[in-house]
């Protein structure tokens, strides 16, 4: 008998973004109406995956406002009696950034890839001064996670703030493992960071009692959440990611955000099981991506369902995009 895990994937809300905050209420209610339409096809929602940039500056006041907004969303999602569970990782806007000229900032952003001993100490020593500093930058995010009343599954915390592992038990033999890894901890300034970030297997191992292979094997399937897509990792970190964190077949799918553009692709190499990537658009934020080549951002979200059947399964996806209407507003509709 088939069992389904129904989910939403949202990313990059940027709650608190000053010049556009007055636009959010209208976008929010369009979002809610679209969810009600999708509810005609989905029996109930089990999980909400939020892949970072919940806030704009990571300030405690922004996280306090976030609770109010999520409470409204949960009222819509729970209308059929099933209360979904939130699974969330932080983005580069969910930390309070240190001064760009601070010694720790300069060291981490300028010397990280040139100092092997600094990296080794960072990953192995719990009292490492740079790890302590990184933890302090995410203090407001961690405080929000610990006190929010939005339903979350019991979590195992990890080596860095925002790292977590948990398991969703749907019943019928379906246990979905969920791993969340912080990719934002090295993006401490407004400088361009594409191709400079790090992600280490120590983060994964700390969440899986030191043995990710065994931990994942005990679940029907496991998914990976990060804020950044793999292309934002430095070349050395990307090789490490492909070999040690997401070798072929380890995860059912990797969900991420940050780019503000929806993307879905699978890569199978030399006959190995595929790596699957699903990148969410921005739920809300600036109209353009600020970078070397400014581009229009796509706003929207993704709904989906993992259908587990004997001997296999099926992934259903409903991508949603906000398109400009003739009256000047935005309409959420199938992408």
């Amino acid at each position: 008998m088939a069992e389904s895990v129904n989910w939403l994937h949202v990313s990059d809300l940027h709650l608190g973004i000053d010049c556009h905050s007055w636009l959010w209420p209208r976008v929010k209610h369009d979002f809610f109406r679209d969810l009600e339409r999708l509810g005609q096809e989905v029996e109930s929602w089990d999980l909400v995956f939020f892949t970072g940039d919940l806030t704009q500056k990571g300030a405690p006041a922004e996280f306090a406002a976030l609770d109010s907004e999520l409470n409204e969303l949960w009222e819509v999602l729970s209308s059929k009696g099933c209360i979904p569970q939130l699974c969330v990782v932080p983005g580069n806007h969910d930390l309070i950034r240190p001064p760009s000229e601070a010694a720790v900032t300069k060291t981490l952003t300028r010397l990280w890839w040139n100092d092997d001993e600094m990296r080794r100490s960072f990953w192995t020593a719990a009292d490492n001064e740079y790890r302590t500093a990184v933890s302090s930058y995410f203090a407001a995010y961690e405080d929000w996670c610990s006190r929010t009343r939005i339903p979350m599954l019991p979590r195992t915390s990890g080596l860095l703030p925002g790292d977590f592992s948990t398991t969703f038990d749907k019943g019928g033999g379906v246990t979905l493992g969920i791993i969340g890894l912080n990719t934002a901890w090295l993006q401490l300034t407004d400088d361009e960071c594409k191709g400079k970030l790090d992600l280490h297997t120590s983060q994964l191992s700390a969440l899986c009692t030191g043995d990710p292979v065994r931990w994942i094997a005990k679940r029907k399937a496991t998914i990976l959440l990060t804020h950044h897509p793999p292309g934002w990792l430095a070349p050395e970190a990307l090789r490490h990611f492909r070999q040690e964190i997401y070798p072929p077949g380890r995860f059912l799918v990797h969900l991420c955000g940050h780019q503000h553009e929806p993307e879905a692709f699978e890569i199978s190499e030399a006959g190995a099981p595929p790596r699957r990537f699903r990148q969410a658009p921005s739920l809300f934020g600036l109209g353009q991506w600020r970078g070397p080549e400014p581009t229009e951002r796509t706003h929207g979200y993704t709904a989906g369902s993992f259908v587990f059947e004997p001997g296999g399964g099926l992934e259903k996806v409903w991508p949603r995009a906000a398109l400009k209407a003739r009256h000047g507003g935005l309409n959420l509709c199938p992408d």
Side-chain angles (χ1 to χ4, degrees), residues 20 23 95 100 104 121 152 154 183 199 204 236 253 256 261 273 278 300 317 319 322-323:
H20 288 70
L23 293 172
L95 70 155
S100 59
V104 171
S121 177
M152 289 190 188
T183 57
L199 190 65
L204 176 62
E236 180 179 332
V253 67
C256 58
E261 289 291 328
R278 307 288 184 260
V317 178
L323 303 180

Side-chain angles (χ1 to χ4, degrees), residues 167-183:
T167 302
F168 175 68
D169 190 346
K170 176 70 175 187
V174 173
T175 52
L176 181 67
I178 303 152
I179 298 286
L181 299 178
N182 184 343
T183 57

Side-chain angles (χ1 to χ4, degrees), residues 60-141:
E62 291 178 341
F63 283 109
L66 177 67
D67 266 333
S68 177
E69 300 297 336
L70 292 181
N71 280 332
E72 289 189 57
L73 173 58
W74 251 251
E75 288 180 8
V76 175
L77 298 178
S78 305
S79 60
K80 294 184 178 181
C82 180
I83 301 175
Q85 303 291 309
L86 175 64
C87 302
V88 60
V89 290
N92 53 291
H93 284 273
D94 295 318
L95 70 155
I96 297 179
R97 292 180 177 175
S100 59
E101 294 304 308
V104 171
T105 310
K106 288 183 177 180
T107 301
L108 285 174
T109 58
R110 301 180 189 181
L111 302 179
W112 178 258
W113 291 110
N114 298 316
D115 193 328
D116 294 343
E117 177 58 28
M118 180 175 70
R119 294 200 307 276
R120 186 201 64 78
S121 177
F122 183 92
W123 293 121
T124 58
D127 60 350
N128 176 273
E129 63 177 308
Y130 300 111
R131 265 178 54 184
T132 300
V134 166
S135 295
S136 71
Y137 304 152
F138 288 91
Y141 171 84

Side-chain angles (χ1 to χ4, degrees), residues 309-330:
E309 301 170 331
L314 180 70
E315 179 189 21
K316 298 180 180 180
V317 178
W318 294 272
R320 316 296 286 181
L323 303 180
K324 291 183 179 179
R326 296 182 63 183
H327 54 66
L330 294 175

Side-chain angles (χ1 to χ4, degrees), residues 21-22 50 54 194 199 206 209 264-265 293 314 318 323:
S21 294
W22 58 276
F50 205 140
L54 296 80
K194 189 171 184 178
L199 190 65
T209 60
F265 60 93
E293 298 180 3
L314 180 70
W318 294 272
L323 303 180

Side-chain angles (χ1 to χ4, degrees), residues 87-319:
C87 302
V88 60
V89 290
N92 53 291
H93 284 273
D94 295 318
L95 70 155
I96 297 179
R97 292 180 177 175
S100 59
E101 294 304 308
V104 171
T105 310
K106 288 183 177 180
T107 301
L108 285 174
T109 58
R110 301 180 189 181
L111 302 179
W112 178 258
W113 291 110
N114 298 316
D115 193 328
D116 294 343
E117 177 58 28
M118 180 175 70
R119 294 200 307 276
R120 186 201 64 78
S121 177
F122 183 92
W123 293 121
T124 58
D127 60 350
N128 176 273
E129 63 177 308
Y130 300 111
R131 265 178 54 184
T132 300
V134 166
S135 295
S136 71
Y137 304 152
F138 288 91
Y141 171 84
E142 287 283 275
D143 179 64
W144 173 77
C145 285
S146 67
R147 63 170 176 75
T148 183
R149 295 187 178 181
I150 301 301
M152 289 190 188
L153 295 167
R155 298 154 52 104
T156 296
S157 297
L159 189 148
L160 294 183
D163 290 352
F164 78 92
S165 64
T166 189
T167 302
F168 175 68
D169 190 346
K170 176 70 175 187
V174 173
T175 52
L176 181 67
I178 303 152
I179 298 286
L181 299 178
N182 184 343
T183 57
W185 60 273
L186 202 53
Q187 190 170 352
L188 303 178
T189 68
D190 286 328
D191 296 337
E192 177 62 40
C193 289
K194 189 171 184 178
K196 299 178 181 179
L197 302 182
D198 198 5
L199 190 65
H200 199 270
T201 190
S202 297
Q203 294 174 252
L204 176 62
S205 294
L207 300 169
C208 302
T209 60
D211 192 341
V213 174
R214 176 176 294 180
W215 193 93
I216 290 171
K218 291 181 177 179
R219 278 80 183 163
K220 186 75 173 180
T222 299
I223 66 169
L224 174 65
L225 307 180
T226 67
H227 176 59
H228 296 84
W232 280 69
L233 299 175
E236 180 179 332
L238 182 58
R239 289 192 296 270
H240 183 81
F241 173 81
R242 290 163 53 83
Q243 294 171 1
E244 305 297 338
I245 297 176
Y246 191 0
R250 171 167 286 179
F251 296 108
L252 177 63
V253 67
H254 175 192
L255 303 180
C256 58
H258 184 65
Q259 283 287 104
H260 299 251
E261 289 291 328
E263 190 169 15
F265 60 93
E266 301 182 9
I267 300 174
S268 180
E269 300 168 301
R275 296 183 181 94
R276 301 183 180 93
F277 300 90
R278 307 288 184 260
Q279 182 174 288
S282 171
L283 183 59
F284 182 71
L286 292 172
Q288 285 194 333
W289 172 264
R290 291 181 297 177
E293 298 180 3
T295 57
E296 291 292 323
R297 289 171 164 172
T298 300
H299 294 98
Y301 70 99
T302 304
S305 180
F306 300 133
V307 183
F308 294 92
E309 301 170 331
L314 180 70
E315 179 189 21
K316 298 180 180 180
V317 178
W318 294 272

